[in-house]
Amino acid sequence: MRPPVLDLRALQSLVAILDTASFTRAAEQLNYSQSAISMQIKRLEAELGTRLIERGSVLRPTRQGRQALGHAREMLRLNSELRQRVAESEVAGRVRLGMPADFAFYLPDTLTVFAERYPQVETEVRTELSDALVRSVAAGEIDLAIVTRQAHSPGGTRLRREPLKWVGAPGSAAHRQEPLPLALYPENTCEFRQAATRRLDAIGRAWRPAYVSQAFAALHSPVSAGLAVTVATPSMLGAHLEILDEDATGLPPLPEVDIAMHRRPGRLGYAARQLADLLVERLRTTGEPGASVTP
Amino acid sequence: MRPPVLDLRALQSLVAILDTASFTRAAEQLNYSQSAISMQIKRLEAELGTRLIERGSVLRPTRQGRQALGHAREMLRLNSELRQRVAESEVAGRVRLGMPADFAFYLPDTLTVFAERYPQVETEVRTELSDALVRSVAAGEIDLAIVTRQAHSPGGTRLRREPLKWVGAPGSAAHRQEPLPLALYPENTCEFRQAATRRLDAIGRAWRPAYVSQAFAALHSPVSAGLAVTVATPSMLGAHLEILDEDATGLPPLPEVDIAMHRRPGRLGYAARQLADLLVERLRTTGEPGASVTP
DNA sequence: GATATGCATCAATTCTGGTGATAATCCATG
DNA sequence: CATGGATTATCACCAGAATTGATGCATATC
């Protein structure tokens, strides 16, 4: 009738037993009597209808025990995380975060998660050029800055590196227009776009800033309508846009860009540290997809 | 002293309340009395030191309640999965799986997971050419087959599509040798390699089967030693090998390949269905990385 | 074979958590 | 503003589950 649930304390004991390889030590660790541990496991095994621990001179999990162990660990982790999250929603404070204008559309998910998790924290976002942000963060005017990596600006943690690509609407011929119509943030506001225009100049391809705006929507519309092209990294790409192949379009290849985080000097407040951790967690690229090799 | 754990039954009730928007209905659903539900939530809220449910004409979770809800759901999911996994390790039976020879190095992780999860199941792996496997599976001689997609062999579920790439050891010059030394499975054994040699022939590039073996190690060694090149998809790639850029090396571009699964006609046994699900889960490509768009 | 160590079991006790009845609340109506 | 209906909170009581400490049993150690 009701989905049967296991006793988390018993799972906790199971984990402790297999970690310490001893009922007795698990009991000490968890502040139970040895018999309590023994009974908990007995009940757990009865509930699951199978033996979980192979008793002997050395304790080993059975296959079922190994299955259970992984899930038990994860459940206990979630248990602590739940407690912490609930407790943290009391955390108050203030975080000042800086990012280039074009990141304002890259991070909102993460900022939403943060705002949800720490509803009492005031988050103040400032948008400036990357190098200005690096100075601001060094001066302690803001706590954190997400910037495109400046080769000459040391410090900061690299979060990810992504290729920069030409982007347009599927099927659009905007990239064949002469001069090339670009949707741009205002001059000097966006380094990606500076990189792009410099490469166009280098190959002698004419271009014009067909759409210039600080507002995201005002730039997105002409691109998805096929009236202009722009540049973005693959992970910034949405469903309505596609990467334009450089060979097929004759557009110049674009460099890779680094995305890095800078922290202001001194000890950050708790809220700022949590935001920093969250940004690292959500932006850091994951490892290589495959692990095996085939000839 | 001991990491405090929450009562899973209380979390179960929390979820039920927020799902049904009513203490009373949650009680009916879980076969508790209404007062039991009320007290469970009271205890849970006391334990966490915060209100989880905002009482009123309509019940709504507080921010803390929302935090808790997600984790609670996940913990309950793990709870059921744990029970099922433990129960499933009693599942016996037999599964006959077919795959091309070159997949024998693509799937072992998944097969290990399967063997661990269903230790009583006999798994029999047969390696043949893809089209032979499609016939075998249609004839019911094997239960499942993982094959490279045959345009003319309908049926089957496509699991993923990957580009085929030239692969060599980093820094090696093997790709500049004339004729091109290839590490190959025996002729007609591997369709990837047939695709490769046909493309070489098409552009008039001479090649020779420098290393031919059914054994993985015997092929892997010469490639990572820089003595030959071979072809693979990126996810088959290991740390010791790298993709050779087609433009830089003058090697012909290779097609994309589809990896598909065929099931034999008729109702599969439980074990076979589970293996099929696992293969789909582990091989199916995940969605696009990003969701937002930037101009 | 004696001893030590560690898990299982048992009986007694504690105490958690459920039930049913009832009180308190909240909202919708008249 | 009062009343009725529905929903949640509280209370007293009880059942049974979990813990404990003592003891039994098995296995390793010397």
Side-chain angles (χ1 to χ4, degrees):
Chain A
M1 185 99 188
R2 126 186 23 147
V5 292
L6 299 170
D7 182 356
L8 268 188
R9 287 173 309 174
L11 295 177
Q12 192 178 41
S13 298
L14 177 71
V15 170
I17 292 170
L18 294 174
D19 280 350
T20 64
S22 154
F23 279 55
T24 309
R25 280 190 292 275
E28 285 161 7
Q29 178 181 318
L30 297 178
N31 218 27
Y32 282 116
S33 66
Q34 174 267 317
S35 55
I37 297 283
S38 200
M39 301 280 261
Q40 282 181 357
I41 298 303
K42 188 181 177 182
R43 287 194 297 269
L44 190 59
E45 291 181 329
E47 173 77 20
L48 293 175
T50 182
R51 205 129 247 248
L52 297 172
I53 298 176
E54 205 176 303
R55 276 77 158 178
S57 64
V58 54
L59 300 181
R60 292 186 46 72
T62 62
R63 287 189 305 267
Q64 290 85 348
R66 241 172 299 133
Q67 295 288 346
L69 189 62
H71 284 63
R73 281 215 156 86
E74 182 63 10
M75 288 170 78
L76 291 169
R77 194 190 63 75
L78 285 166
N79 172 73
S80 335
E81 195 172 86
L82 188 159
R83 301 183 82 97
Q84 188 175 351
R85 289 286 164 78
V86 167
E88 273 174 346
S89 60
E90 319 276 277
V91 171
R94 186 177 196 194
V95 186
R96 294 159 304 170
L97 171 69
M99 62 176 86
D102 49 332
F103 273 74
F105 311 106
Y106 198 26
L107 295 178
D109 279 2
T110 302
L111 292 179
T112 303
V113 168
F114 182 75
E116 174 72 13
R117 193 175 296 173
Y118 303 93
Q120 312 273 35
V121 173
E122 269 182 74
T123 307
E124 183 185 316
V125 177
R126 176 189 301 199
T127 61
E128 284 185 72
L129 289 182
S130 286
D131 53 354
L133 288 172
V134 171
R135 283 194 300 272
S136 295
V137 82
E141 296 163 26
I142 57 179
D143 299 303
L144 299 170
I146 304 291
V147 300
T148 54
R149 175 81 93 175
Q150 306 289 295
H152 48 278
S153 71
T157 326
R158 191 178 86 186
L159 299 180
R160 49 161 71 209
R161 165 171 291 173
E162 295 202 1
L164 201 54
K165 296 289 181 188
W166 292 101
V167 166
S172 144
H175 57 272
R176 280 201 289 273
Q177 287 185 40
E178 194 64 32
L180 183 70
L182 296 181
L184 298 172
Y185 279 103
E187 197 169 3
N188 284 335
T189 294
C190 174
E191 320 201 355
F192 291 3
R193 280 145 200 90
Q194 289 185 340
T197 54
R198 272 199 295 268
R199 305 265 164 163
L200 288 172
D201 292 341
I203 66 163
R205 177 84 149 88
W207 58 272
R208 63 189 176 92
Y211 299 87
V212 175
S213 171
Q214 279 279 12
F216 170 65
L219 292 180
H220 180 215
S221 307
V223 175
S224 56
L227 302 174
V229 302
T230 187
V231 299
T233 67
S235 65
M236 289 169 147
L237 210 62
H240 307 297
L241 300 178
E242 71 174 11
I243 292 176
L244 302 173
D245 184 69
E246 287 145 8
D247 297 330
T249 57
L251 293 170
L254 296 169
E256 295 203 313
V257 296
D258 276 357
I259 295 167
M261 181 171 69
H262 289 242
R263 297 161 211 250
R264 85 166 150 71
R267 185 168 170 77
L268 293 177
Y270 183 78
R273 285 204 306 280
Q274 295 308 111
L275 176 56
D277 291 352
L278 187 67
L279 286 167
V280 169
E281 178 193 323
R282 309 238 331 177
L283 294 187
R284 173 153 284 163
T285 47
T286 50
E288 299 304 309
S292 61
V293 184
T294 193
Chain B
M1 185 99 189
R2 117 183 35 139
V5 292
L6 299 170
D7 182 356
L8 267 189
R9 288 174 306 174
L11 294 178
Q12 192 177 43
S13 297
L14 177 71
V15 170
I17 292 170
L18 294 175
D19 279 351
T20 64
S22 153
F23 280 56
T24 309
R25 280 191 292 276
E28 286 161 7
Q29 178 180 319
L30 296 178
N31 217 26
Y32 282 117
S33 67
Q34 173 266 319
S35 57
I37 297 284
S38 199
M39 295 183 79
Q40 282 182 355
I41 298 304
K42 189 181 175 180
R43 286 195 298 269
L44 191 58
E45 291 181 329
E47 174 76 20
L48 293 175
T50 182
R51 204 129 249 245
L52 298 172
I53 299 176
E54 203 177 301
R55 277 76 157 178
S57 63
V58 54
L59 299 182
R60 293 186 45 73
T62 62
R63 286 189 307 265
Q64 290 85 347
R66 241 172 298 133
Q67 295 287 345
L69 189 62
H71 283 64
R73 282 215 155 87
E74 183 62 9
M75 289 170 78
L76 291 169
R77 194 190 65 75
L78 285 166
N79 172 74
S80 338
E81 196 173 86
L82 188 160
R83 302 184 81 98
Q84 188 174 351
R85 288 286 163 77
V86 167
E88 273 174 349
S89 59
E90 319 275 278
V91 170
R94 186 177 197 195
V95 186
R96 295 159 302 170
L97 172 68
M99 61 176 88
D102 49 331
F103 272 76
F105 310 107
Y106 198 28
L107 294 177
D109 278 1
T110 302
L111 293 179
T112 304
V113 168
F114 183 74
E116 174 72 13
R117 195 176 296 175
Y118 303 93
Q120 312 274 34
V121 173
E122 269 182 73
T123 307
E124 183 186 315
V125 177
R126 176 189 300 198
T127 61
E128 285 186 72
L129 290 181
S130 286
D131 53 354
L133 288 173
V134 171
R135 283 194 300 273
S136 296
V137 82
E141 295 163 26
I142 57 179
D143 299 303
L144 299 169
I146 304 291
V147 299
T148 54
R149 175 82 92 175
Q150 306 288 295
H152 48 279
S153 69
T157 326
R158 190 178 88 186
L159 299 180
R160 49 163 70 211
R161 165 172 290 173
E162 295 202 1
L164 201 55
K165 296 290 180 189
W166 292 102
V167 167
S172 146
H175 58 272
R176 281 201 288 271
Q177 286 185 38
E178 195 65 30
L180 184 70
L182 296 181
L184 297 173
Y185 279 103
E187 196 170 4
N188 283 337
T189 294
C190 174
E191 319 200 357
F192 290 3
R193 281 145 200 90
Q194 290 186 340
T197 55
R198 272 200 295 269
R199 305 263 166 165
L200 288 172
D201 292 342
I203 65 163
R205 177 82 149 88
W207 58 273
R208 63 188 178 92
Y211 299 88
V212 175
S213 171
Q214 280 278 11
F216 170 65
L219 291 181
H220 180 215
S221 307
V223 175
S224 54
L227 302 173
V229 301
T230 187
V231 298
T233 67
S235 63
M236 288 168 148
L237 209 62
H240 307 297
L241 300 179
E242 70 173 12
I243 293 176
L244 302 174
D245 184 69
E246 287 145 9
D247 296 332
T249 57
L251 293 170
L254 296 170
E256 295 203 311
V257 296
D258 276 357
I259 296 167
M261 181 172 68
H262 289 241
R263 297 160 210 250
R264 84 165 151 71
R267 184 170 171 75
L268 293 176
Y270 183 77
R273 285 204 307 280
Q274 295 309 111
L275 176 56
D277 290 352
L278 187 67
L279 287 167
V280 169
E281 178 193 324
R282 308 234 336 175
L283 294 188
R284 173 154 285 164
T285 47
T286 49
E288 300 303 310
S292 61
V293 184
T294 193

